[in-house]
Amino acid sequence: MTAMQQKGAEGFLHRYEGLRERLPGVRLPWVAALRDVAAVAFRASGLPTRRIEAWRYTDLRAVGEAGFDEALTSLEDGQDLPAMRGSARAVFLDGRFRADLSDLDGVGYAVGSLATELRKLEGRVGALARPEEQPLAALNTMLFEDGLVVTVPAGVEGGVLDLLSVASPTERPSAFHPRHLVRLEPGSSLTLIETATGPEDGRYLHNPVFEIEVGEGATLNHARLQQEGPRAFQLSTVYARVAAGGTYDNFTLNAGGQLVRNEIHTALVGPGGACHMNGAQLLGPGQHADTTTFLDHAAPDCASRQTYKTVLSSKSRGVFQGKILVRRPAQRTDGYQMNQTLFLSPDAEIDSKPQLEIYADDVKCSHGATVGELDAEQLFYLRARGIPGERARAMLVEAFLTEAVEGVSDPVARGALEAAVTGWWSRQMKDAA
Amino acid sequence: MLKIEGLSAEIDGKPILNGIDLEVPTGELHAVMGPNGSGKSTLSYVLAGREGYEVTGGSATFDGQDLLAMEPEERAAAGLFLAFQYPVELPGVGNANFLRTALNALRRTRGEPELDAMQFLKVARERMRALSMPEDMLKRGVNVGFSGGEKKRNEVLQMALLNPRMAVLDETDSGLDIDALRIVADGVNAMRGPAFSALVITHYQRLLEYIVPDRVHVLVGGRIVKSGGPELAKELEVSGYASVQAAA
C-alpha cells in the first residue's frame, strides 16, 4: 500500500475514478449510468455508520480502515478447491469467473459470466438492487467486475449448481464485489449451493450482491455457506423477488470471517408465493456476524418462515434484525419469525431486533426470540450414558440447530450444511484444546 | 462390586446423605427403600456423578476404583448405569442417534468395534421387541413426547443395549401402570446373572414383587437404618417407615 492511499469511502471512490475506464461495460451507456448513479449515492452515504438504524449493531470502521488494493489473483489451477457438489460448478476467484476451474458442461439452462454477457443484460443488472438505499449495494454497483448469470428456462429442473467463491492468498488487503444474477422462469427449479472461502491469514472484503427473480411456480433453493478466512470481511446483500406461487428458500450459514453482514431483502409480489429464510450463525473468538432480513409481503396468500439460530462461543457477537412488512393488499399472509441464541460463553453478546409492520387486517404473523445456555440436565444425561463431555456438547449444539437445518429441503444442500456445522465444531474444539 | 462407606453429601450446604454404608457384591441385586426426602435420589445422582452435589465425607468404590473421582462418562465406561427417575427430554437429538452414539462410545472404551447404522438397528430392534416398544420410538427425539411409561421403558432399553455391569434404578416404578411395570421388571430380570449387579431404589414394595432382591436396605434421614432379606420389604409395607425410624 502506498503512503498516499486513501481509506474508507474515499478509498473506494478513488478506486472507482481510477478504474472506471477499465471496468466491464465501460462502453455501455446504461452500465456507465448505473455506476455513476451508484457513485453519487455512495459519495453521499459513505460506508454506513452505527448512527444509521439498520447498522446500529454492526460497526464497519474496521472495513473503512483496511485500505484495499486490487486482488492479485495467484491461485494455482485447481489448488485446494473443495470437492464439487452436484453436477455443475461455477468458480469465482477473487470475484472473477474462472472458466478453466468451472464445470458447466451439459447443464439444461443458461449459465455464464456476467463480465462476458454484460451487453445482453440491460434491465437485469440493477432490476432489484437498491444502491440509493443500501450503501453496500452502491459500492458493489460502482465496482462490480463479474458475477454469475443463471437463467433457468420455463419448466426446466436445473438440479444442483455449485457456486464457489475463493479469495486467493494476498499480502495486502484486497476487495471484490461480484454481482450475481439468478432468474428462474415459470415452473422451473434450481438448487444453488454457494460456498465462500479464503486464506487463513489474508485480509479481504467480499461484497457480493445477488439479484434473484423467482418466476411463477418456480422454486429456488439457495444455500449459502459462508466460510471465509478468519480475517475476512463479507458484506453480502441478497435481493429476491418471488412471483405468484413461487418459492424462495434461503439458508445461510455464517461460520467464517471476522466481520460479516448477511442482508436479505425478499419481496413476495404474487399471490401464493412462499419464502423460507433460515440460517445459523456459529461464531468463535472475535467474530461478529449480523443477519438482517427484510420480508416484504406485497401480495395476498403468501407464507414466510424464518428461523435463525446463533451459537456464540468465546468473545463473539451475533446480531439478528428481522423486519416483516405486510402491505395492505397482502391479506391472509402467514408470517413466522424465530430467532434463538445459544451461549457457550459468558463473554459473548447477541443483539436481536424483530420488527413487524402490518397494514393488512387478515393476517397471521408471529415472532419470537430466545436466549439460553446448554442445559446441564441434558448434558449430564448424555454423559451418564458414556458419551464424553465434548461429544455431548456437540450433540446438543447440533440439536439446537436442527429446526433451522431441517428447513433445508434439498438433500445435497443439507448434507453440505451439516458437514459445515461439524467442521465448525471440531475447529472450536481444536482451538479450545 | 459397589462399596459405599460413610458417604455424606450435601446440596447448597444442606446435608442430605449422612454416612451411608452399603455394599453390593457382584451378581447381587439390592433394594434401597425409603420415604420421601430420605436421600434416595441423591444417592443415585452422587453415584452417577451429577454436578451440584458436594461429597463431604466417606467413599464409594466400584470394582476397587474410586468412583467419586471419575467423570460421569468414565463411570458409564466402567460399567455403571443409572436409570433416571425423570428421564431427560432431548429435543432435536434422535433416539436412534443417541443410543448408537452412547453404545459406540462404550464399545470404543472396551476396545470393541463400533456398530454402523444397520448393525445398530438390528440389535436395537431386537431389544425393543422384548420391551414391547414401537419401532417409531427410535425416530423420535429422545424422550420427547414420550409418556411416563415410554420414558421408563426407554431407560430399560438403554440399559439392555449398554449392558452395564451394575445398574442403579432410581424409582423406575414411579408412574408405571401394572403392565408397564411387568415389562420393565422383565427387562431388569433378563439382565440378572453372576456378572450383573443392581441397586433398585424405590419408595414402594410393589416393584419388589416383580424384581425380587437379594437384600433390602432401608434409607431414612440419609443413613441406612436397617438391612435384611427380601422379607424386610414386606414388613415395611405392613408397618411403614415410621416403625423402622423409631427403632433406629
Side-chain angles (χ1 to χ4, degrees):
Chain A
M1 147 178 17
T2 62
M4 291 301 291
Q5 177 159 22
Q6 286 163 308
K7 294 183 176 179
E10 276 306 311
F12 290 116
L13 288 161
H14 188 75
R15 170 158 303 281
Y16 174 57
E17 292 307 324
L19 275 178
R20 57 187 299 172
E21 292 308 313
R22 292 190 284 135
L23 285 168
V26 64
R27 265 173 282 283
L28 299 169
W30 63 269
V31 175
L34 275 178
R35 293 197 198 272
D36 283 342
V37 168
V40 169
F42 189 69
R43 187 178 296 281
S45 68
L47 282 170
T49 67
R50 295 184 53 208
R51 286 193 299 276
I52 296 169
E53 186 59 22
W55 290 88
R56 207 166 125 195
Y57 305 111
T58 295
D59 190 336
L60 293 184
R61 271 180 301 179
V63 177
E65 284 159 12
F68 299 99
D69 271 354
E70 184 132 8
L72 297 170
T73 299
S74 60
L75 189 80
E76 295 296 314
D77 282 10
Q79 172 194 315
D80 287 328
L81 292 185
M84 185 163 91
R85 302 187 173 99
S87 54
R89 167 150 84 177
V91 178
F92 285 79
L93 196 51
D94 300 322
R96 297 174 189 126
F97 180 64
R98 288 285 297 259
D100 56 327
L101 302 177
S102 301
D103 184 352
L104 297 169
D105 294 341
V107 298
Y109 49 88
V111 55
S113 144
L114 178 121
T116 312
E117 297 179 20
L118 196 51
R119 60 190 170 76
K120 295 184 278 184
L121 295 170
E122 184 171 7
R124 265 186 83 175
V125 180
L128 302 178
R130 295 195 294 274
E132 66 289 355
E133 290 170 35
Q134 278 89 44
L136 293 167
L139 177 60
N140 175 286
T141 304
M142 220 165 66
L143 289 170
F144 73 79
E145 288 182 42
D146 207 344
L148 178 76
V149 184
V150 184
T151 310
V152 185
V156 168
E157 287 182 20
V160 176
L161 173 60
D162 198 1
L163 167 58
L164 178 62
S165 166
V166 182
S168 61
T170 166
E171 276 174 36
R172 295 173 177 172
S174 63
F176 45 98
H177 314 264
R179 172 69 60 101
H180 303 298
L181 308 179
V182 180
R183 173 182 280 174
L184 269 65
E185 293 185 345
S188 66
S189 66
L190 183 71
T191 292
L192 181 63
I193 303 178
E194 176 198 355
T195 309
T197 67
E200 279 296 302
D201 51 358
R203 174 75 99 187
Y204 61 93
L205 166 65
H206 182 192
N207 176 39
V209 168
F210 284 83
E211 298 186 87
I212 293 170
E213 297 167 74
V214 178
E216 285 188 18
T219 298
L220 177 64
N221 287 308
H222 187 191
R224 310 191 61 213
L225 309 178
Q226 185 279 109
Q227 297 168 297
E228 305 279 14
R231 296 186 63 220
F233 306 118
Q234 192 199 77
L235 308 172
S236 67
T237 314
V238 175
Y239 298 92
R241 189 181 156 91
V242 183
T247 300
Y248 177 55
D249 279 3
N250 176 303
F251 186 99
T252 305
L253 172 75
N254 273 333
Q258 179 183 322
L259 174 59
V260 172
R261 167 93 156 189
N262 161 35
E263 185 169 319
I264 310 173
H265 301 256
T266 300
L268 295 162
V269 298
C275 173
H276 307 119
M277 299 198 294
N278 298 318
Q281 309 199 105
L282 311 176
L283 307 181
Q287 285 182 289
H288 177 114
D290 170 338
T291 288
T292 295
T293 67
F294 294 87
L295 225 151
D296 183 351
H297 277 271
D301 300 303
C302 291
S304 65
R305 290 272 173 284
Q306 298 182 61
T307 307
Y308 284 94
K309 304 260 186 172
T310 300
V311 180
L312 300 171
S313 78
S314 188
K315 208 173 151 61
S316 59
R317 187 168 175 196
V319 177
F320 174 79
Q321 308 182 99
K323 179 172 175 176
I324 302 176
L325 168 65
V326 181
R327 295 179 192 268
R328 202 176 300 274
Q331 296 295 355
R332 297 171 301 282
T333 286
D334 181 0
Y336 168 83
Q337 181 193 86
M338 180 53 80
N339 164 232
Q340 296 181 305
T341 303
L342 180 64
F343 280 94
L344 301 179
S345 149
D347 302 325
E349 185 182 336
I350 181 79
D351 294 288
S352 180
K353 194 178 78 175
Q355 232 183 318
L356 299 180
E357 203 177 312
I358 300 175
Y359 297 99
D361 49 23
D362 180 9
V363 164
K364 199 169 83 187
C365 241
S366 63
H367 69 85
T370 67
V371 167
E373 298 169 20
L374 284 182
D375 185 293
E377 296 271 324
Q378 295 181 338
L379 203 53
F380 173 62
Y381 191 64
L382 291 167
R383 295 179 70 191
R385 293 298 173 255
I387 299 170
E390 280 321 321
R391 180 80 194 99
R393 285 159 64 89
M395 285 175 81
L396 295 179
V397 170
E398 283 166 21
F400 170 75
L401 297 172
T402 299
E403 188 191 348
V405 175
E406 274 175 352
V408 180
S409 50
D410 186 90
V412 180
R414 195 152 143 186
L417 176 71
E418 284 167 349
V421 171
T422 309
W424 176 80
W425 182 262
S426 45
R427 194 180 172 121
Q428 295 304 307
M429 289 307 101
K430 219 163 53 193
D431 289 353
Chain B
M1 167 81 359
L2 177 68
K3 193 170 182 187
I4 303 170
E5 286 179 305
L7 184 63
S8 297
E10 56 181 49
I11 310 172
D12 300 329
K14 189 177 164 232
I16 308 285
L17 304 182
N18 299 301
I20 290 190
D21 293 301
L22 180 65
E23 189 170 352
V24 184
T26 305
E28 290 191 12
L29 187 147
H30 289 204
V32 170
M33 300 185 68
N36 289 333
S38 60
K40 298 192 301 293
S41 284
T42 298
L43 174 61
S44 67
Y45 283 140
V46 168
L47 292 177
R50 184 174 163 178
E51 280 175 27
Y53 296 85
E54 185 164 1
V55 174
T56 51
S59 66
T61 58
F62 187 68
D63 230 4
Q65 295 171 271
D66 180 1
L67 195 61
L68 304 178
M70 296 157 80
E71 296 292 338
E73 58 266 36
E74 291 171 333
R75 301 180 196 206
L80 182 71
F81 180 90
L82 169 64
F84 282 60
Q85 182 182 3
Y86 302 109
V88 178
E89 298 189 5
L90 303 173
V93 179
N95 208 21
N97 176 34
F98 162 66
L99 293 169
R100 186 158 78 95
T101 305
L103 179 56
N104 280 337
L106 291 186
R107 289 178 70 93
R108 255 198 312 279
T109 64
R110 294 172 188 160
E112 294 165 6
E114 296 187 19
L115 298 186
D116 65 27
M118 292 306 292
Q119 292 167 319
F120 167 76
L121 274 181
K122 192 166 173 285
V123 179
R125 281 184 184 133
E126 231 166 76
R127 302 287 188 193
M128 289 177 81
R129 259 195 303 277
L131 290 165
S132 308
M133 290 172 74
E135 210 177 283
D136 80 329
M137 281 174 74
L138 280 179
K139 293 187 193 122
R140 288 151 67 180
V142 178
N143 296 323
V144 178
F146 286 24
S147 68
E150 286 175 327
K151 283 181 183 173
K152 293 300 173 75
R153 266 184 275 178
N154 205 31
E155 293 293 289
V156 176
L157 171 65
Q158 291 166 45
M159 179 175 69
L161 281 168
L162 301 179
N163 195 23
R165 296 160 63 218
M166 169 148 203
V168 176
L169 297 114
D170 186 7
E171 309 242 4
T172 297
D173 50 331
S174 67
L176 293 186
D177 63 28
I178 196 74
D179 292 330
L181 187 67
R182 220 171 253 143
I183 290 167
V184 164
D186 287 349
V188 175
N189 287 328
M191 303 281 300
R192 295 181 79 163
F196 176 78
S197 316
L199 195 59
V200 177
I201 294 174
T202 182
H203 185 112
Y204 300 104
Q205 183 262 346
R206 190 179 69 151
L207 176 67
L208 303 181
E209 286 176 13
Y210 299 94
I211 303 174
V212 179
D214 298 300
R215 297 278 292 167
V216 174
H217 309 275
V218 183
L219 181 67
V220 177
R223 282 188 317 122
I224 301 294
V225 296
K226 193 170 183 183
S227 297
E231 71 287 349
L232 179 56
K234 293 199 175 68
E235 278 172 37
L236 283 172
E237 184 79 356
V238 177
S239 55
Y241 289 110
S243 64
V244 189
Q245 217 160 352

